[in-house]
Amino acid sequence: MPQSPPAAPPPSPLHLAVPAKLGDWFGPSVFAFEGMGTALSIYEAMELQDPRPFFNVVSSAYVVTFFLYVGLASFVYSAWGDGIAKVVIDDLPKMSSLTSEIALSVILALSFVLQMTPVFHVVERVVHQPRMLPHWAWPITRSSVVAFVALVGYTVPDMETMVNLTGSVAFSAIGFVLPGLFYLKLRPESKPPSRNRMSTLVNVAASWAMVVTGIVGAVWGVISAVPR
């Protein structure tokens, strides 16, 4: 007789808001949505004269992704509550879990080069100098970077902790802290017309809110991720 797939976890009470778990939520959430670094590198390579169509596509992609994330998370959590695993596919039946892992592997394989493009550019600008490595040696540089990333991924014992720390520290800086600081530093010093003063005040307040949110979220996320 074929064995039946493992039963789904039993339903448990729902806790829609747990302030003590905010640190566990912040890092993975920022990690899931942070793709602007890759998008900007693609935009730079395209050398577009008008950036509006490109950013319209990026904005639409973020909106669709948001509803997919929220819809799936809400459906799963409303069905199983706190009994669901942090990684949803861990609670799927064996065949469904295997299918999800294969699909995720294919997606990562096809998108890895896009995600690594900013890293390649930074490393090559530093390493490929006249007194270091010639420009034609870029395959060696990129292969070394990929090998290092694979080694780190293989040796990290807990991927959830890595995602939490990466989202809390690196992506919080990219998505919250640095954009706010850049605006506060680079905004025009001349007084705008009176009709634009309110807009400027709103932008300044939003920038400070982003900086504070990023710093507080990063600290809280790191505290939650570090084993006690």
Side-chain angles (χ1 to χ4, degrees):
M1 295 292 293
Q3 295 182 352
S4 58
S12 60
L14 300 180
H15 300 90
L16 299 183
V18 182
K21 296 293 185 179
L22 184 61
D24 294 333
W25 166 84
F26 183 81
S29 298
V30 178
F31 183 94
F33 281 99
E34 184 50 57
M36 190 52 64
T38 303
L40 291 177
S41 66
I42 296 174
Y43 169 75
E44 181 182 6
M46 294 176 67
E47 299 181 353
L48 298 175
Q49 297 295 329
D50 185 6
R52 288 176 295 181
F54 178 82
F55 286 108
N56 288 338
V57 172
V58 173
S59 301
S60 301
Y62 269 94
V63 171
V64 172
T65 303
F66 171 80
F67 282 105
L68 288 176
Y69 281 163
V70 172
L72 178 61
S74 301
F75 174 78
V76 173
Y77 188 68
S78 62
W80 291 296
D82 288 343
I84 195 67
K86 291 183 178 180
V87 180
V88 177
I89 60 176
D90 290 343
D91 280 338
L92 294 176
K94 184 176 181 180
M95 183 57 65
S96 299
S97 178
L98 178 61
T99 303
S100 301
E101 292 176 357
I102 293 175
L104 180 60
S105 300
V106 172
I107 293 172
L108 292 177
L110 296 177
S111 62
F112 181 77
V113 64
L114 296 177
Q115 299 178 36
M116 291 299 295
T117 297
V119 180
F120 290 149
H121 287 173
V122 172
V123 173
E124 289 172 4
R125 288 175 183 174
V126 174
V127 175
H128 292 175
Q129 301 293 336
R131 297 182 180 180
M132 298 181 67
L133 288 178
H135 180 71
W136 57 263
W138 65 265
I140 300 176
T141 304
R142 296 195 177 190
S143 299
S144 301
V145 173
V146 173
F148 175 75
V149 172
L151 178 63
V152 172
Y154 179 78
T155 56
V156 170
D158 187 356
M159 196 60 191
E160 294 179 13
T161 301
M162 177 61 71
V163 169
N164 200 342
L165 289 174
T166 304
S168 299
V169 178
F171 291 160
S172 177
I174 296 174
F176 288 93
V177 179
L178 293 180
L181 292 178
F182 288 162
Y183 177 83
L184 294 173
K185 179 65 177 179
L186 301 177
R187 63 190 176 94
E189 297 182 359
S190 59
K191 295 183 179 180
S194 57
R195 62 181 180 180
N196 292 332
R197 289 180 181 175
M198 181 58 66
S199 176
T200 301
L201 292 176
V202 171
N203 290 334
V204 171
S207 298
W208 277 113
M210 290 173 60
V211 173
V212 174
T213 300
I215 294 175
V216 173
V219 174
W220 204 339
V222 170
I223 294 175
S224 301
V226 174
R228 295 176 178 83

